[in-house]
Amino acid sequence: MAAARVLLLWLACVAALAAESPGLEKRTAALAHELRCLVCQNQTLADSNAPLAVDLRNQIREQLAAGKSEQDVLDFMVARYGEFVLYRPPLRAATLALWIGPFVFLALGVWLLARRLARRRAAEPELSGAERERAAKLLE
Amino acid sequence: MKTIWLPLGFIALIGLLAAGLRLNPREVPSPLIGKPAPHFELPLLHEPDKRFTQRDMLGKVWVLNVWASWCPPCLVEHPVVTELAGSVPVIGLNYKDAREDALPWLKRNGDPYQFSVYDAAGRIAIDYGVYGVPETYVIDQKGVIRYKHIGPLTREVAQTRLRTLVKELDGGG
Amino acid sequence: MIPELGQVALCLALAVALVQAIVPLWNPASAALARTAAQGQGLLIAFAFGCLTYAFVTNDFSVQYVAMHSNSALPLHYRVSGVWGGHEGSFLLWCLMLSVWMVAVSVFSSHLPEDMAARVLGVMGVLSAGFLAFMLFTSNPFDRLFPAPPDGRDLNPLLQDPGMVLHPPMLYMGYVGLSVAFSFAVAALLSGRLDAAWARWSRPWTTVAWVFLTVGIALGSGWAYYELGWGGWWFWDPVENASFMPWLVATALIHSLAVTEKRGGFRSWTVLLAIVAFGLSLLGTFLVRSGVLTSVHAFAVDPKRGIFILMLLALFIGGALALYAWRTARIGLGGAFEPVSRESLLLGNNVLLVAAAGTVFLGTLYPLLIDAVGAGKISVGPPYFETVFVPLMAPALFLMGVGPLARWKRASLPELAVRLRWALGVSLALGFLSPLLFGNWSAMVGFGLALAIWIVSTALLTLKKSLRQTRAHYGMVVAHIGVAAFVVGVTLVKGYESEQDAKMKPGEAVELAGYAFRLEEIASVKGPNYAGAQAKFVVSRNGKPVTVMYPERRHYTVQDQVMTEAAIDPGLTRDLYVSLGDPLEGGAWLVKVQHKPFIDWIWGGCLIMALGGLLAASDRRYRFAIRERRAAEAAA
């Protein structure tokens, strides 16, 4: 009797896990793509087959299954390995230049372009009447 | 206007790249320095029914060395670890190993550890931010991690860094 | 004996390069000497390359480089491509490509004024001398090993692949080809002659270099896709970025050259772009070979070599920039143009492309910067690049539609709006409706498809007035359509790709995207230098058989490396991708199955772009022999 109850309980757990699996796998994969494999030459945890990468992917899966949020898992990794493990650099003072840099480049480019165009117009001299005549004569 | 930024920017770039030649992009410093050693309770390698927690070492300065029988650099650093064990208690963390391999390895090469704990799944190692064996930690009397060395210990590092640090911590009380 | 001959040839080549570098730049009347020197270098370096190839083919393990990268069990074709499988040999390939370009310039420069030809070849001589010196002093491929080992360490299994045959040579032809644009720019600065004619001479060379670079990058991406086993095709890895940055700037350069050639404008800017493009090529070489950044592509790392390359970079680019700063004041402005004109739109294209290149540069080097100033260690990876790159490129893709329709010098915004309104309407409508075809509507996919349809419809719009356009014009149309195809591929793959990891035993099946993948059996396979397991997957859709796929998991014996050879079923509208992972207990295997819609459009788009470039470069006005002959006939 007890054995049957244990069996039923076990089946229920398996069923529950199986039901969760699709969303869980997707979330695990998504997180694994954000984290760096520390023993590899620049690969994500998702792409690596190194033993540590497999272990860490399992950690991610377990924690998500236990109800932790994505941010919790990321914090977990950073607490142990430092910010190096994040492929998306966190926004803080030191990385401000990195995140706004591209848009600064764009703005700078557009500004220089606008200035260039304005300078061109200014550089085009307007000829006076006398100068116009002189030019016409020279061109004959 | 453009002409001054170009040479300046270029010189800065060359300077940055030159500085980069002296750095090691693969070395990941530990964020745990200055933080309390993560809690764990693990069975001993030699006596599976006895357990050890890092709190047992409070009041003493000690060294935690992560090793494995399948790890060639661990063998390379073994003499250095043995030497170090003469002046400070060294406790081993056997990482993702099998007892049948680890115990003979210690017999063959000598056991410098006061004892080793057995982290078969590698979970505790993850808590300690281990990413490649061997790694070595210096932990002070209050249980705070003061130093981490990544890779095999050399005599130089053991003498200049580790022993000096241990002496300092001991002296400081 | 043969390797020593190769070494002597390289030393001689260095001597000839020095002559080619010094004499024509000192005395621009010595174009004939410059041409002879260039051709001499070509012969010598080709001979040296032949010697190294001979050493590989005959398994001469007394040559250290051969011992490091080859093995007697290695099949012949990989022994040949293994010549460029490591740092020293690949650098010899680099020098060989440079000599190919030098010989090409020496042959196809009869239409150039003699002093220009002399200076261009002179600058290339300086470059060649620097590279040969680097190779001879720090990376000699002919170093001997005593005692010679009985066998070699084998070529890295990842490189034992047909992709190895084409990817590095194409890529290096592109990288090194930008040195021709660079040399033209420096020669122009030296001579003080910088005009539309200069742009007309420089343009086909630059376009062809761009074509090679495009093909080289596309091949690298395709190779990573099928070789690395997990279905990725771009990782924003530092070395990949190192090839992408010069590509972005080279694209800006070919557009800028268009303006300089047609209207004499942007001269100073074009010269600067040419210098920066080649500078980024050199930066790429530095990043790959110095160990400053971590990458799967990095060669064996040696800071000493890094210092030498850094010095070359500082000398060549620093020197060129100094020359630019000194001489640019004399260049002056070209033809004037209004704020709304083809010129200004092309300038807009340039601004966006250069900002994009700057972004990739920033992201790639930022970890180094943070580390150098002691602010810790960070990683900058795909999440960052994907976030910042798309907003920059989207406006550039939009402008691609407007630019070709705008008039030179002065365009009318209302007129453009009228001409483009149908194209805009159609693009938005079709673009944002199409995702429904895939059953899963997404704004991002709609946006990407709208941009692609916009590019194609506006490109075809330029042909509305008349189908009789120059070859250069058709080249542009084709290349832009290639970009649109690329955008379609990226958008649909990113939007709709799916994958499944499963533990499978023979007899079991998984379902993905409407396809059923049934594992029939696992057999063992044996290759010349590997042994492994091969799975047989029968794929069906709605009960009808589609294909059979054979992914493998190989163990290469010499280097003791395990590699997975994915099985791919390519198709116009989708790729099916199956890779065999680790074996598990109980006879089961880890299997990863992926569905990649329209992924082949990515590389197809790149090839179409390259085709467009070739069309443009072969335009009639560059066929000087024809013009000279016609002129001679007319005069007679």
Side-chain angles (χ1 to χ4, degrees), chain A residues 37-52:
Chain A
C37 163
L38 294 141
V39 294
C40 314
Q41 302 266 69
N42 198 28
Q43 278 178 289
T44 64
L45 278 189
D47 297 335
S48 168
N49 284 321
L52 180 63

Side-chain angles (χ1 to χ4, degrees), chain C residues 25 119 123 185-193 323 326-327:
Chain C
L25 289 177
R119 287 201 180 90
V123 175
V186 172
L189 286 172
L190 285 173
S191 70
R193 191 191 306 130
L323 186 62
W326 177 35
R327 285 290 177 110

Side-chain angles (χ1 to χ4, degrees), chain C residues 233-275:
Chain C
W233 49 273
W234 189 257
F235 307 93
W236 296 102
D237 176 84
V239 172
E240 292 176 343
N241 294 345
S243 68
F244 193 43
M245 286 187 277
W247 186 89
L248 287 167
V249 175
T251 308
L253 178 59
I254 57 181
H255 288 83
S256 183
L257 274 170
V259 179
T260 311
E261 184 189 345
K262 285 259 167 51
R263 300 270 303 145
F266 297 9
R267 282 174 290 179
S268 173
W269 172 245
T270 303
V271 164
L272 185 61
L273 275 182
I275 297 174

